[in-house]
Amino acid sequence: TIVLSAGLGGSHHFWKPQIEALQKSFRLISYDHRGTGVNAEPLPENYSVDQMANDVLGIIDAEGIESIHFIGHALG
């Protein structure tokens, strides 16, 4: 499993050019950060990098994944 994380304020659409090639060999998870894409709502007050990390850990835990490769760019 590879988790694809766009930069701060980024959408999962950033990874569109890579998804076709990677999905041939890997299970992929890409997501929208809070405040972007399908999660386009106001951010909680004092939203932090720790909260961003907890968001993606929540996704990984919800999927029951024990081991991943994580690819990000910028703050992703």
Side-chain angles (χ1 to χ4, degrees):
T1 300
I2 298 175
V3 176
L4 301 170
S5 181
L8 181 61
S11 163
H12 72 279
H13 294 291
F14 174 84
W15 297 105
K16 188 175 180 179
Q18 290 78 25
I19 287 175
E20 186 176 340
L22 290 172
Q23 70 186 0
K24 293 176 184 175
S25 301
F26 299 95
R27 176 182 180 197
L28 299 179
I29 296 174
S30 60
Y31 63 99
D32 293 333
H33 290 283
R34 289 189 196 205
T36 66
V38 297
N39 297 314
E41 55 194 44
L43 292 174
E45 191 171 322
N46 299 320
Y47 188 61
S48 69
V49 172
D50 285 339
Q51 289 171 309
M52 289 177 69
N54 287 330
D55 287 344
V56 72
L57 288 173
I59 294 167
I60 294 164
D61 289 344
E63 293 293 320
I65 302 167
E66 294 184 20
S67 177
I68 65 163
H69 299 280
F70 190 91
I71 301 174
H73 75 91
L75 193 58

